[in-house]
Amino acid sequence: MRTLLQPPPAEEVGRRLTEVRRRITALAPDRAVKVVAVTKGFTAAAALAATAAGADAVGENYADELLAKHVALDGKWGLPLHFVGAIQRRRVPKLAPAVACWETVWRPEEGRSVARHAPGATVLVEVNLTGDTARPGVAIGGTAKLVAELSSFDLVVGGLMGVAPLGGGAAARTAFRSLRHCADDLGLAELSMGMTDDLEEAVAEGSTMVRVGRALFGERAAGSPIAP
Ligand SMILES: *Cc1c(COP(=O)(O)O)cnc(C)c1O
C-alpha cells in the first residue's frame, strides 16, 4: 500500500466543499446533486474531514487502503462508503460489511459475489464511456442485458456510473449524455458521473452524484492513478 498523505485541515476541506457545491448549483440550481468525497491516497482523517464538511458519501478505490482506514476509524466512517475501484471478487467478503454502495459492478460475476456477501446491497453499473476496452466498464450496448441480469440477483441496481475520456470539454459532454440516455431508457435514477476536472460537463448533462477527490483534498502523490 502506498504511503497515505495527510489531508488539509477540516475547515479547509469545508471551504473547498462549499466551492464544489457552488460550481454544481450554478448549473443545477433546482436539483440535488450528491458529492462523494473520494479519499483515496489520503489518511482516514480525510473521511472525517469530509463528514465534518457535510459531504454526502465517501469514496474509496483500493481494498487494502479501505480496510486499513476501516480499522483506523473503528468502522465509523461517518458517511455512507462507496466503493469506486476495481472489484476483485476475493476481496468482496472483507469489504462487504463496510461498503454501502458498489459503484463499479460491470461483470455478472462481480454482482453475484456482492449479492452473496452483501445481500440486498445497492450497486451501480459501471459503463465504459471511452471505447477503450482496456478500461473498466460494460459497453454501453451491453448495459441493458447486464442490468437485467444483476436485477435477478439479491441486489438493488440504483443507476449507472461512468468515467469520461480525460480532458473534459465536448468529448466528456457527449460521453455523459450517452450515459444519461442509457439510464433514462432503463428507468434508472442514479447517475454517478463527474470528477474534479469534468464536474461542470457532468452536472450539465444530468449527473445526480459527482465523485470528487482533488478539488477537496489536493493533488495525490505522484504515480497514484486517477482511476483504477
Ligand atoms: C479517483 C477517482 C475519482 C476522483 O477523481 P478526482 O480527479 O480526484 O476528482 C472519481 N472517480 C473514480 C472512479 C476515481 O478513481
Side-chain angles (χ1 to χ4, degrees), residues 8 11-21 214-218:
E11 305 75 50
E12 176 60 20
V13 173
R15 280 189 288 275
R16 294 182 187 182
L17 179 62
T18 300
E19 172 59 16
V20 166
R21 294 222 191 260
R214 288 172 299 137
L216 297 176
F217 305 113

Side-chain angles (χ1 to χ4, degrees), residues 3 11 44 72 77 94 101 135 137 143 146 179 199:
T3 309
E11 305 75 50
W77 290 81
K94 281 214 157 174
C101 176
R135 310 275 309 159
T143 306
L146 179 60
L179 191 65
L199 190 76

Side-chain angles (χ1 to χ4, degrees), residues 35-199:
V35 176
V36 179
V38 178
T39 48
K40 64 167 173 239
F42 291 92
T43 64
L48 298 177
T51 303
D56 298 288
V58 173
E60 282 283 340
N61 285 62
Y62 306 106
D64 288 345
E65 193 179 314
L66 184 160
L67 292 169
K69 293 179 204 180
H70 195 65
V71 170
L73 293 167
D74 198 16
K76 299 181 185 70
W77 290 81
L79 292 170
L81 178 57
H82 289 210
F83 192 72
V84 299
I87 297 175
Q88 295 169 284
R89 276 180 294 159
R90 66 190 171 83
R91 312 298 267 143
V92 167
K94 281 214 157 174
L95 296 179
V99 173
C101 176
W102 304 78
E103 290 208 21
T104 50
V105 175
W106 65 278
R107 296 180 179 106
E109 56 268 32
E110 294 166 354
R112 204 173 284 117
S113 178
V114 172
R116 180 174 315 129
H117 298 285
T122 297
V123 303
L124 305 182
V125 169
E126 180 168 7
V127 179
N128 186 334
L129 301 177
T130 65
D132 174 358
T133 53
R135 310 275 309 159
V138 64
I140 204 145
T143 306
K145 179 167 177 281
L146 179 60
V147 168
E149 186 163 8
L150 294 173
S151 300
S152 75
F153 305 156
D154 191 357
L155 295 173
V156 175
V157 181
L160 305 179
M161 175 275 202
V163 176
L166 294 185
R173 278 197 75 142
T174 304
F176 290 143
R177 190 172 311 153
S178 66
L179 191 65
R180 170 165 52 93
H181 287 154
C182 187
D184 287 350
D185 288 348
L186 297 171
L188 295 171
E190 212 72 77
L191 261 182
S192 174
M193 56 188 202
M195 317 196 295
T196 293
D197 288 339
D198 53 21
L199 190 76

